[in-house]
């Protein structure tokens, strides 16, 4: 059996382990080890060597992200660590498992990561709908405080850390890391110009690291077992395991922690039980609504941060959404573009005005009122709203499923226009 | 006017941040909870001096965030997920049944003030789609026949 460090203590009928149980399973040993025997720089080096890359969607190397945080006596203080637990990417439900299932793992991850970058204040930015996660986290934070694992002079060392929970009032753009900082400061969640990057000037102008829940949960295991061990868990060069998910018309939708670089075919056929009777596979979005479709010929590519570029796509959050042969690809794009249009923060014109136009065009095609030139209009917009033309990655993300659908499912779009109706109804 | 209890709740929220504005969103959420699920002009006016912010700044937040309601809502808030995985698994049909049973459109409240029906974004339970929540309790793997029993649980 492959190792599953992130989910070992999580099971469908299991309650989240309390402090005592978490400790019995080896929990908080990495904190003791790091605080007594490792310097912050040692921890940063371990994370760099492990080849851990961000699980929030963009896959940025975590050690490299941390290396931009100013260190030494002249570094501005306080420094902040922020856990991105906003998880609003449609089709994504992996961070929830980690938060609800093993809250102490999250807290241990925060302690170690804050130690590594020298942060004395940490926030978990949790989406408002995750009320169960909020309950178990609050309880675990209280337990950790009582045990001297959080607060002033942790474990009688010079390291102190406050951990706070912030419940988001809800908006997809809050997940974008600079918008998230605006929200934490009590403002509208508008993204900020980069540079300066948050590591240099983030929350209230101080050095800040924002990492995804799943990214950080790997850190205790890396500190406990080393970067080489972490790298060995993976089938590819990107270290570790990955929590993969499947939703859509498969027999057993769900989540599985598997070696990084597992193929979509293995996940769908062996873990998700294959397609439901009467449904055929047509394509999938590998990691949430803002990734490009891949199709049958790509099913044997390793799902890691570089493997999908051959298929013109990317791993994203690693929770895939399956398109079956009874579901209209045009309707599916319409659903997603409507979401992106609604969730645009409205700051920059291409996104604020472009996404509603794209949505209206798709709605017309879906309703049988499309014109042949509409496909050119859509294609043009996938470029106009692409990377570099908008203030943040929201609109470019929105264009990924659309541009790939226009490529892989072009016949469907053309048939809608030609026949003046949706052939799936 | 803020009650004493509300003052206490707001003080708890203010503790977690280095400045008052930072607590504004949490404070709006908490006051919404204690005041029937929505934020009136009066509520914003009550909160503004506590945070040293203007009513207009608070309004800018209240109209931006999805979970803040600037209009009255019913006793129970139904949120139906209309994001992509739920859509594939039939959220349109769930929504149609709810609208028919409640006799209202999305965004509206039943005349008896019992339910407000809202669409929502992915609730993070896509493996059990379609999904809805009532007052943040989730109902998953929905079938149209389940809905009457779920509604009957809330009066
Ligand atoms: C529109 C938008 C929404 C995002 N939503 C999330 C989210 O909900 N959770 C998350 O971890 N990252 C999200 N991200 C990515 C973050 O900006 C950021 O890259 C990530 O939190 C970094 O963490 P990582 O390096 O550990 O992956 C989003 C990005 C964009 C552009
Ligand atoms: S791309 Fe969209 S979400 Fe991002 S800043 Fe511009 S308007 Fe806001
Ligand atoms: S799409 Fe409905 S819960 Fe995720």
């Amino acid at each position: 059996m492959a190792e599953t460090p992130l989910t070992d203590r999580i099971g469908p009928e299991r309650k989240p382990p309390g402090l005592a149980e978490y400790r019995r399973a080896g929990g908080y040993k990495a904190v003791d080890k790091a605080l007594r025997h490792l310097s912050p720089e040692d921890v940063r080096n371990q994370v760099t060597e492990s080849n851990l890359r961000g699980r929030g969607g963009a896959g940025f190397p975590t050690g490299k992200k941390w290396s931009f945080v100013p260190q030494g006596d002249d570094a501005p203080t306080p420094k902040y660590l922020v856990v991105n637990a906003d998880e609003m990417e449609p089709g994504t439900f992996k961070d929830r498992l980690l938060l609800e299932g093993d809250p102490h793992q999250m807290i241990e991850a925060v302690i170690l990561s804050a130690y590594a970058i020298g942060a004395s204040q940490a926030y978990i930015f949790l989406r408002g709908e995750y009320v169960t996660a909020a309950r178990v986290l609050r309880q675990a934070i209280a337990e950790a405080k009582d045990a001297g694992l959080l607060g002033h002079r942790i474990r009688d060392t010079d390291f102190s850390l406050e951990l706070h929970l912030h419940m988001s009032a809800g908006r997809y753009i809050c997940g974008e890391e600079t918008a998230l900082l605006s929200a934490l400061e009590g403002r509208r969640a508008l993204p900020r110009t980069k540079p300066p990057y948050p590591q240099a000037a983030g929350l209230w102008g101080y050095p800040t690291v924002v990492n995804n829940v799943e990214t950080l949960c790997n850190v205790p295991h890396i500190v406990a077992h080393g970067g080489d061990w972490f790298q060995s868990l993976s089938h590819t060069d990107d270290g570790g395991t990955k929590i993969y998910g499947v939703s859509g018309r498969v027999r057993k939708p769900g989540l599985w922690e598997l070696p990084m670089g597992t193929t979509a075919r293995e996940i769908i056929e062996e873990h998700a039980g294959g397609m439901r009777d009467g449904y055929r596979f047509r394509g999938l979005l590998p990691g949430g609504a803002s990734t490009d479709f891949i199709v049958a010929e790509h099913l044997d590519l390793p799902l890691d941060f570089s493997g999908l570029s051959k298929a013109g796509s990317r791993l994203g959050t690693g929770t895939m959404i399956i398109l079956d042969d009874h579901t209209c690809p045009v309707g599916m794009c319409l659903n997603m573009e409507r979401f992106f249009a609604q969730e645009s923060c409205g700051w920059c014109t291409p996104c604020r005005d472009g996404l509603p136009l794209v949505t209206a065009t798709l709605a017309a095609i879906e309703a049988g009122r499309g014109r042949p030139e509409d496909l050119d209009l859509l294609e043009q917009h996938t470029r106009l709203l692409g990377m570099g033309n908008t203030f943040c990655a929201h609109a470019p993300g929105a264009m990924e499923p659309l541009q790939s659908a226009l490529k892989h499912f072009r016949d469907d779009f053309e048939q809608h226009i030609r026949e003046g109706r949706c052939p799936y109804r | 006017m803020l009650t004493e209890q509300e003052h206490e709740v707001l003080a708890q929220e203010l503790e977690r941040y280095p400045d008052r504005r930072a607590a504004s969103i949490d404070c709006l959420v908490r006051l919404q909870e204690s005041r029937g699920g929505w934020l009136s002009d009066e509520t914003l006016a009550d909160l503004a001096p506590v945070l040293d912010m203007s009513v207009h700044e608070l309004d800018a937040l209240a109209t931006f965030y999805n979970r803040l309601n600037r209009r009255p809502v019913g006793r129970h808030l139904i949120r139906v997920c209309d994001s992509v995985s739920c859509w594939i698994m039939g959220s349109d049909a769930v929504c149609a049944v709810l609208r028919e049973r409640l006799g209202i459109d999305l965004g509206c409240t039943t005349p008896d003030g019992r339910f407000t029906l809202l669409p929502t974004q992915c609730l993070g339970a896509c493996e059990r789609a379609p999904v809805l929540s009532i007052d943040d309790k989730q109902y998953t793997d929905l079938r149209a026949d389940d809905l009457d029993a779920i509604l009957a649980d809330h009066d």
Side-chain angles (χ1 to χ4, degrees):
Chain A
M1 275 296 282
E3 289 180 80
T4 53
L6 294 178
T7 53
D8 268 347
R9 288 170 302 276
I10 304 176
E13 302 301 324
R14 269 170 86 170
K15 281 207 286 195
L19 180 61
E21 189 186 342
Y22 182 72
R23 274 229 172 95
R24 274 198 298 281
Y28 289 114
K29 279 215 178 101
V31 165
D32 286 329
K33 177 174 168 184
L35 263 45
R36 298 232 146 76
H37 306 293
L38 302 175
S39 68
E41 194 184 358
D42 292 335
V43 178
R44 293 199 300 274
N45 287 340
Q46 274 189 323
V47 169
T48 303
E49 283 158 20
S50 72
N51 291 327
L52 172 64
R53 292 176 65 169
R55 309 312 199 219
F60 196 81
T62 306
K64 189 163 174 199
K65 181 181 261 189
W66 292 4
S67 75
F68 300 131
V69 179
Q71 299 295 340
D73 295 340
D74 311 339
T77 53
K79 294 186 232 174
Y80 292 94
L81 173 72
V82 179
V83 182
N84 191 340
D86 195 43
E87 190 152 80
M88 278 189 71
E89 181 69 32
T92 301
F93 47 104
K94 67 185 180 70
D95 296 338
R96 174 186 194 156
L97 176 83
L98 294 170
L99 296 165
E100 290 181 359
D102 201 357
H104 279 290
Q105 172 171 262
M106 184 78 254
I107 295 170
E108 183 170 19
V110 168
I111 298 170
L112 289 165
S113 308
Y115 179 70
I117 61 168
S120 59
Q121 297 287 330
Y123 288 93
I124 298 177
F125 188 95
L126 183 65
R127 72 172 292 190
E129 285 77 12
Y130 280 8
V131 288
T132 306
R135 183 169 44 75
V136 302
L137 278 169
R138 285 206 177 97
Q139 192 178 350
I141 291 172
E143 277 184 312
K145 263 190 200 150
D146 286 345
L149 287 156
L150 287 171
H152 191 54
R153 294 182 55 87
I154 295 171
R155 287 277 191 259
D156 296 324
T157 62
D158 289 339
F159 177 58
S160 301
L161 175 67
E162 304 280 348
L163 172 58
H164 312 279
L165 184 65
H166 171 89
M167 295 291 277
S168 174
R171 205 57 203 259
Y172 173 66
I173 195 63
C174 292
E176 197 280 337
E177 62 181 18
T178 61
L180 185 154
L181 300 179
S182 303
L184 263 180
E185 291 180 6
R187 300 169 194 278
R188 283 188 164 209
L190 304 181
R192 301 176 177 182
T193 331
K194 294 192 259 192
Y197 287 88
Q199 294 97 312
L203 268 182
W204 298 289
Y206 290 97
T208 303
V209 163
V210 183
N211 273 126
N212 171 259
V213 169
E214 184 187 353
T215 312
L216 292 177
C217 284
N218 285 297
V219 173
H221 306 287
I222 294 170
V223 172
H225 305 293
D228 289 343
W229 166 85
F230 189 74
Q231 176 58 58
S232 77
L233 298 175
S234 161
H235 287 329
T236 68
D237 290 340
D238 301 333
T241 59
K242 177 77 192 77
I243 299 184
Y244 292 104
V246 180
S247 64
R249 288 206 163 95
V250 292
R251 285 205 184 86
K252 290 185 296 174
L255 293 168
W256 306 272
E257 185 183 3
L258 298 168
M260 178 66 88
T262 303
T263 64
R265 186 185 304 285
E266 178 185 329
I267 295 168
I268 295 168
E269 288 176 7
E270 290 178 30
H271 303 284
M275 298 299 290
R276 289 193 186 180
D277 290 336
Y279 293 95
R280 279 191 318 114
F281 172 86
R282 282 204 71 198
L284 65 82
L285 298 167
S290 51
T291 55
D292 284 88
F293 279 98
I294 63 171
V295 292
E297 65 187 276
H298 306 128
L299 285 176
D300 294 310
L301 292 173
L303 294 178
D304 71 357
F305 292 107
S306 50
L308 286 174
S309 58
K310 290 185 204 77
S313 187
R314 61 192 182 96
L315 180 62
T317 62
T319 40
M320 58 184 89
I321 308 163
I322 310 275
L323 169 67
D324 61 78
D325 63 338
H326 293 241
T327 298
C328 174
V330 179
M332 185 167 165
C333 286
L334 171 60
N335 174 282
M336 293 186 285
E337 298 311 328
R338 188 174 277 147
F339 164 86
F340 288 117
Q342 279 169 0
E343 292 299 317
S344 164
C345 83
W347 182 252
C348 65
T349 313
C351 173
R352 182 186 59 237
D353 289 353
L355 287 175
L357 182 62
V358 165
T359 306
T361 308
L362 283 166
I365 298 174
E366 205 266 344
R369 288 181 280 106
R371 303 158 307 169
E373 57 272 29
D374 286 342
L375 295 185
D376 299 329
L377 183 89
L378 289 176
E379 221 138 51
Q380 194 188 9
H381 275 74
T382 62
R383 289 189 298 274
L384 289 172
L385 304 193
M387 211 50 111
N389 295 336
T390 59
F391 194 64
C392 86
H394 175 85
M399 291 301 100
E400 292 186 26
L402 180 62
Q403 71 194 11
S404 49
L406 285 168
K407 190 164 80 192
H408 296 305
F409 312 117
R410 186 147 199 116
D411 290 351
D412 287 278
F413 285 84
E414 287 172 350
Q415 194 185 352
H416 278 76
I417 294 170
R418 205 172 48 241
E419 297 179 5
R421 65 182 189 99
C422 173
Y424 292 83
R425 284 214 196 132
Chain B
M1 241 191 24
L2 293 170
T3 65
E4 209 159 296
Q5 209 177 356
E6 284 172 338
H7 269 296
E8 266 170 45
V9 166
L10 298 184
Q12 282 168 19
E13 300 302 325
L14 284 159
E15 237 170 49
R16 293 201 304 278
Y17 302 94
D19 74 12
R20 284 194 267 176
R21 167 190 293 270
S24 57
I25 296 166
D26 303 76
C27 290
L28 287 167
V29 169
R30 297 303 295 270
L31 283 186
Q32 174 168 291
E33 280 167 12
S34 65
R35 296 190 174 188
W38 71 290
L39 296 163
S40 65
D41 292 350
E42 193 198 334
T43 302
L44 298 190
D46 286 347
L47 179 59
V50 178
L51 300 174
D52 202 11
M53 288 169 71
S54 71
V55 169
H56 304 290
E57 287 176 296
L58 289 177
D59 197 29
L61 297 174
T63 52
F64 185 86
Y65 289 100
N66 294 335
R67 290 175 62 84
L68 298 176
N69 303 314
R70 239 351 218 113
R71 274 189 285 164
V73 292
R75 288 197 296 286
H76 303 288
L77 205 54
I78 307 180
R79 291 194 176 90
V80 192
C81 174
D82 66 357
S83 290
V84 60
S85 305
C86 286
W87 177 79
I88 292 174
M89 301 305 286
S91 59
D92 280 353
V94 168
C95 223
V97 172
L98 283 171
R99 285 158 58 182
E100 192 258 318
R101 291 290 196 281
L102 300 174
I104 52 171
D105 221 327
L106 288 169
C108 300
T109 301
T110 53
D112 61 1
R114 187 170 159 214
F115 290 112
T116 296
L117 182 62
L118 294 176
T120 193
Q121 304 79 8
C122 177
L123 288 167
C126 329
E127 83 283 30
R128 286 166 287 156
V131 184
L132 66 76
S133 74
I134 303 186
D135 307 332
D136 281 327
K137 179 176 163 34
Q138 284 195 356
Y139 297 85
T140 57
D141 289 312
L142 291 172
R143 285 169 311 143
D145 332 345
D146 303 338
L147 296 171
D148 287 328
I150 294 172
L151 293 178
D153 268 351
H154 298 82
D155 45 45

